[in-house]
Amino acid sequence: MIRQIRQVLQGQKVIEGAGVHLRRVFGFNTPELFDPFLLLDDFRSTNREDFIKGFPWHPHRGIETITYVLQGDVEHGDSLGNKGVISSGDVQWMTAGGGIIHQEMPKGDENGELQGFQLWANLPAVSKMMPPRYRGITSDDIPQVKKDNGLMIRIIAGEVEGVKGPADDIIIDPEYLDCTVPPQTDFSYSTKRGYTVFIYCIGGMGRVNDTEVADGNLVLFDDGDEVVVQSGYVPLRFLFCSGRPIEEPIAWRGPIVMNTEAELELAFSELQNQTFIKKQ
């Protein structure tokens, strides 16, 4: 059964961190709609002033953050001692678990351009307080499948035609693909029943079922066995995401996502008391 469209979103402009201008595609209301995903931010910009103030030191607990940089550099550091640069084509997959403090400072490229996305994935109650984990995935680590019709798929997480992405052993069993469909070409992809599935268009235009889509459109699907997308007269590029829903209560305040308000209060109390970071 082909998955039908549940909702099409465009996103809204917001300012986060120390003054970063970005587009929040989802993450405002009804987080259950995208379960197990919580938020998707699009921080593409050709103006350095939109992002240079960055995201100084801040905490996370109870979630995973996945940063995918298409162009430019993002400097980072965290309380585990990791530090470095996320460069063009790289992915940072960070599991906050019981608590991590980190910073992300976008620098862009030599022309002042930055292109990237950050996705938040929830953790189930049993894993909320797991030890934090950091994975730096370079562009060269991400395999690509190219089909005879010119379709190209970069596999960050999941498996396509026997080729596995480097982000494995993830609790929500995700797929995260960067797909480029040549002009006037069909893309059909099998999906797991009961899993949440969406695509976010990041270039070109095309159609999903009978609905036109273009750069900046997110399509959330109903349940089914297959997603079908057709490109238009120009290539269509999109991020494909799927994951197993957690189906638990969500208590969310800023960078911390737990199951109850009491757990949130404890987290922020520990921040004030400097007991937030747990010894491993």
Side-chain angles (χ1 to χ4, degrees):
M1 186 177 75
I2 295 176
R3 286 182 180 250
Q4 300 303 305
I5 294 175
R6 182 170 185 178
Q7 196 170 10
V8 178
L9 301 175
Q10 184 69 32
Q12 301 179 31
K13 293 180 179 179
V14 298
I15 300 176
E16 290 289 354
V20 177
H21 294 250
L22 51 82
R23 182 173 295 275
R24 178 146 299 160
V25 188
F26 66 85
F28 292 103
N29 301 303
T30 59
E32 298 82 5
L33 193 63
F34 288 89
D35 182 19
F37 304 106
L38 296 162
L39 173 151
L40 176 62
D41 283 344
D42 179 340
F43 52 85
R44 291 178 290 172
S45 176
T46 57
N47 180 5
R48 193 184 302 272
E49 295 304 312
D50 283 348
F51 56 79
I52 197 63
K53 294 180 181 178
F55 303 91
W57 295 99
H58 59 280
H60 284 293
R61 175 177 285 179
I63 64 172
E64 298 184 284
T65 66
I66 304 103
T67 305
Y68 181 26
V69 176
L70 295 186
Q71 186 170 342
D73 292 338
V74 178
E75 295 180 356
H76 71 91
D78 66 37
S79 52
L80 296 176
N82 300 298
K83 61 181 179 178
V85 178
I86 315 168
S87 295
S88 301
D90 296 349
V91 172
Q92 179 196 75
W93 199 297
M94 189 192 73
T95 304
I100 198 168
I101 297 176
H102 77 155
Q103 68 171 352
E104 299 154 305
M105 305 302 290
K107 302 301 178 182
D109 62 12
E110 63 274 11
N111 298 315
E113 185 171 352
L114 179 69
Q115 295 190 37
F117 314 91
Q118 186 168 91
L119 178 68
W120 289 15
N122 203 3
L123 288 171
V126 69
S127 304
K128 288 285 189 188
M129 297 298 292
M130 69 183 289
R133 178 174 61 179
Y134 172 85
R135 299 186 190 188
I137 302 170
T138 68
S139 181
D140 290 341
D141 293 332
I142 300 173
Q144 181 170 281
V145 169
K146 185 173 183 180
K147 299 195 176 186
D148 292 341
N149 62 1
L151 173 67
M152 293 188 296
I153 304 175
R154 297 192 85 210
I155 310 163
I156 297 167
E159 182 176 343
V160 178
E161 297 185 351
V163 180
K164 295 182 179 181
D168 58 0
D169 189 28
I170 308 296
I171 292 170
I172 61 168
D173 189 27
E175 291 179 288
Y176 193 173
L177 312 174
D178 180 351
C179 307
T180 301
V181 185
Q184 297 183 292
T185 301
D186 290 350
F187 169 92
S188 59
Y189 189 76
S190 296
T191 59
K192 296 179 181 180
R193 278 273 180 160
Y195 277 45
T196 298
V197 175
F198 69 85
I199 66 169
Y200 180 56
C201 301
I202 61 174
M205 59 185 63
R207 299 179 71 86
V208 177
N209 303 341
D210 294 324
T211 300
E212 293 186 359
V213 296
D215 188 3
N217 289 148
L218 180 139
V219 179
L220 175 65
F221 292 93
D222 282 326
D223 203 3
D225 305 300
E226 184 180 27
V227 164
V228 177
V229 179
Q230 293 109 16
S231 58
Y233 289 100
V234 296
L236 176 65
R237 186 177 184 183
F238 56 86
L239 305 178
F240 173 97
C241 297
S242 75
R244 181 176 55 233
I246 295 171
E247 299 179 338
E248 293 179 352
I250 296 173
W252 183 355
R253 192 186 310 165
I256 296 173
V257 184
M258 304 301 289
N259 294 101
T260 68
E261 288 296 323
E263 290 170 335
L264 280 183
E265 293 295 338
L266 176 61
F268 282 98
S269 173
E270 289 180 345
L271 274 172
Q272 291 182 338
N273 297 332
Q274 298 184 348
T275 58
F276 184 79
I277 301 298
K278 308 301 180 185
K279 291 183 180 181
Q280 305 302 323

